[in-house]
Amino acid sequence: MQNNKRLRITVILYLLVICVLARLIFAFPNPSYLNVLNINDFYVTSCVVLIVFTLLIFFFVKGSAGKRLWITILSSVIIFAISITYFYSNLPQYTYEQAAEKVADAEQHEGKSVQIQIPIHRVDKLGEGESTLFQMTDNTYYIYLKVDEKPLVFKFNPLDGKYEEVTGQRILEEYKVQ
């Protein structure tokens, strides 16, 4: 009975450590993308699947406590490896800086004088998109350029690299020149 109680405590501590570690692994690339990645979709789903698998193992797998512990560890490694691999292999193609360079390069190839204007405030850099489950981001980037002394704004999708010029009153007041 003492071994069974010790096993439960060990498994609970192991799951807590794995979940905290996984949170850090999912959060690691987020600052490069202006913190717009939908990490919670992947993190919460992985943790829920892990908890369900752990409960199934402890209720339905016959055998010693050590065997169930090793099956739990193996299943958690497999679950998080699959989830983290999927997450990292589907990160957006472009960070904000890469997106600004791509749009500026396209304008320069047309023989125009181009200056990139990087907004100081994060809110000026982002546009909201439609919320979807298991898509890396729902946001778009706003890229600000001064092309031949005329201010232009582009809406850029970081997932596929497509962009379009935005018409209207999107004026940037505070920015750094790149």
Side-chain angles (χ1 to χ4, degrees):
M1 191 57 131
Q2 187 68 5
N3 281 345
N4 216 6
K5 186 175 183 179
R6 199 175 297 160
L7 174 68
R8 287 183 185 148
I9 291 172
T10 303
V11 167
I12 290 170
L13 288 175
Y14 171 76
L15 292 176
L16 287 174
V17 168
I18 286 294
C19 288
V20 168
L21 183 63
R23 180 66 175 188
L24 294 174
I25 291 171
F26 281 118
F28 181 72
N30 207 13
S32 298
Y33 296 95
L34 301 176
N35 295 316
V36 298
L37 299 178
N38 293 333
I39 61 175
N40 289 335
D41 291 352
F42 297 92
Y43 171 71
V44 170
T45 302
S46 299
C47 288
V48 166
V49 170
L50 177 61
I51 290 169
V52 168
F53 266 78
T54 302
L55 290 173
L56 290 173
I57 289 167
F58 275 86
F59 286 122
F60 296 111
V61 172
K62 304 291 184 211
S64 69
K67 178 182 176 183
R68 290 188 290 179
L69 177 63
W70 283 109
I71 292 172
T72 300
I73 291 171
L74 181 64
S75 66
S76 67
V77 168
I78 290 170
I79 290 166
F80 278 112
I82 290 170
S83 184
I84 290 169
T85 301
Y86 179 80
F87 179 79
Y88 274 88
S89 65
N90 288 297
L91 286 174
Q93 293 180 13
Y94 298 92
T95 63
Y96 184 83
E97 290 77 17
Q98 292 168 334
E101 288 294 328
K102 179 179 178 175
V103 175
D105 288 346
E107 291 295 316
Q108 283 176 339
H109 284 315
E110 295 178 13
K112 299 176 182 175
S113 169
V114 177
Q115 180 184 48
I116 299 173
Q117 299 173 329
I118 304 291
I120 293 174
H121 304 290
R122 180 178 176 269
V123 70
D124 292 327
K125 297 178 183 180
L126 299 177
E128 291 291 322
E130 292 181 24
S131 181
T132 57
L133 192 61
F134 296 115
Q135 184 173 331
M136 278 299 139
T137 183
D138 303 327
N139 297 80
T140 57
Y141 298 145
Y142 282 110
I143 308 297
Y144 300 86
L145 302 177
K146 189 173 265 188
V147 179
D148 292 336
E149 298 304 316
K150 177 184 168 194
L152 294 178
V153 180
F154 295 88
K155 192 173 185 180
F156 190 97
N157 184 336
L159 295 172
D160 60 13
K162 294 180 181 172
Y163 61 92
E164 62 186 6
E165 187 175 345
V166 175
T167 55
Q169 295 295 333
R170 193 155 180 96
I171 299 171
L172 187 60
E173 294 181 14
E174 295 183 58
Y175 60 87
K176 297 183 288 186
V177 176
Q178 185 175 356

